[in-house]
Amino acid sequence: MKKYLTLFIGSIPFFSVIASRLSGHLPVKWWMGTDALTMWAMPPGKSKTLVLLHRIKMRLLKPLIFQHWVTGPRLLEDLEKSGTLKMDEVLVAYWPGKYHTISEKKQHDGFNILYYDPLDTEFQRWKYGIDIIAKIKEQVSDVNWIKADGTQDMKELYTITDLYIRPSRHDGEPRINVECKVNRIPVIYSEDGNPSVEQFVKEINLIKKNRHDPSLKQ
């Protein structure tokens, strides 16, 4: 009898995993940034009760889950830190991104910097470093800021973007990072989850200065 994988992305319904097992399927949990982080931390704006229930649920479901996937090393560190999983129990599977072809660049005035602001909860804005971006804006001049909030046509935005910044405090391997690299747009990203305003400003100014240097294209 063939067995099929049932992929659960992000939040995972308790009884859906049980039903998957009873039907002979193999549940796979693909951990996202928020649910991995809340296994050990209490992020701002999150309900303490809901976070604790999430931790209990995931520990109860662990024996039923066939495989665990994460989108990057940072999430794996979170799960190890929480004692939820060990490194050899997790597969790292990167998001492929939605746009796999290079968008044709459009002529535009000035230097355009793209950033992501979900305009969502306090937690989301903390996670993506929106307060850090505000400080960066104060120190970087002569640029155009383009805000992506999840409602725009990203493929169109990539045609006029010169640089993408993501001073996030917590992430896996963001899809926009992947897509920008496909589109040869330089990316400045806080790999360690501890974004530095000074470092971002320094790198932005360097890329602005050398914007026509092909070696800086990713």
Side-chain angles (χ1 to χ4, degrees):
M1 177 181 175
K2 289 185 178 180
K3 292 193 175 184
Y4 297 92
L5 299 180
T6 303
L7 183 60
F8 294 95
I9 300 177
S11 181
I12 181 169
F14 186 87
F15 291 105
S16 295
V17 175
I18 296 175
S20 176
R21 275 294 186 181
L22 291 176
S23 64
H25 294 181
L26 301 174
V28 173
K29 162 67 173 169
W30 197 332
W31 290 84
M32 296 288 100
T34 300
D35 55 337
L37 175 64
T38 52
M39 290 304 294
W40 69 271
M42 193 66 66
K46 282 288 180 182
S47 163
K48 185 175 182 179
T49 300
L50 291 178
V51 168
L52 293 176
L53 287 174
H54 170 68
R55 293 175 184 174
I56 293 169
K57 176 182 70 174
M58 292 314 304
R59 286 184 167 87
L60 289 174
L61 287 176
K62 182 181 176 182
L64 299 177
I65 296 175
F66 174 65
Q67 286 182 341
H68 295 266
W69 297 355
V70 295
T71 56
R74 192 182 299 178
L75 304 192
L76 178 55
E77 291 172 6
D78 283 337
L79 295 174
E80 284 192 295
K81 188 184 298 185
S82 69
T84 307
L85 295 165
K86 297 178 181 178
M87 186 175 294
D88 58 1
E89 295 178 300
V90 183
L91 296 176
V92 177
Y94 291 101
W95 281 114
K98 184 177 180 181
Y99 303 111
H100 304 282
T101 57
I102 299 174
S103 301
E104 185 176 348
K105 292 295 182 183
K106 293 183 178 179
Q107 292 292 327
H108 57 272
D109 296 326
F111 187 81
N112 294 343
I113 300 180
L114 177 69
Y115 67 96
Y116 181 61
D117 181 353
L119 299 174
D120 201 345
T121 62
E122 176 189 355
F123 165 68
Q124 293 288 350
R125 293 176 65 81
W126 168 85
K127 174 181 174 181
Y128 295 119
I130 304 307
D131 56 317
I132 301 294
I133 291 173
K135 294 176 182 177
I136 292 171
K137 285 183 176 182
E138 293 174 356
Q139 299 185 38
V140 176
S141 58
D142 301 323
V143 301
N144 305 314
W145 295 95
I146 302 175
K147 178 170 64 177
D149 60 17
T151 63
Q152 302 98 326
D153 180 349
M154 293 304 298
K155 191 171 184 178
E156 184 66 22
L157 289 184
Y158 295 146
T159 66
I160 58 170
T161 295
D162 298 303
L163 171 65
Y164 177 60
I165 66 168
R166 194 175 181 107
S168 61
R169 293 184 172 92
H170 192 270
D171 253 329
E173 177 67 11
R175 191 188 76 185
I176 299 180
N177 285 21
V178 174
E179 293 175 352
C180 281
K181 290 174 183 178
V182 168
N183 282 278
R184 299 176 183 173
I185 298 169
V187 175
I188 305 177
Y189 175 55
S190 50
E191 295 284 354
D192 61 358
N194 186 27
S196 162
V197 173
E198 292 74 19
Q199 186 62 32
F200 267 77
V201 170
K202 179 180 177 181
E203 293 189 35
I204 289 170
N205 287 330
L206 179 63
I207 291 174
K208 275 178 58 187
K209 180 180 178 181
N210 300 287
R211 62 182 298 188
H212 299 300
D213 184 346
S215 67
L216 293 175
K217 298 292 183 181
Q218 300 191 24

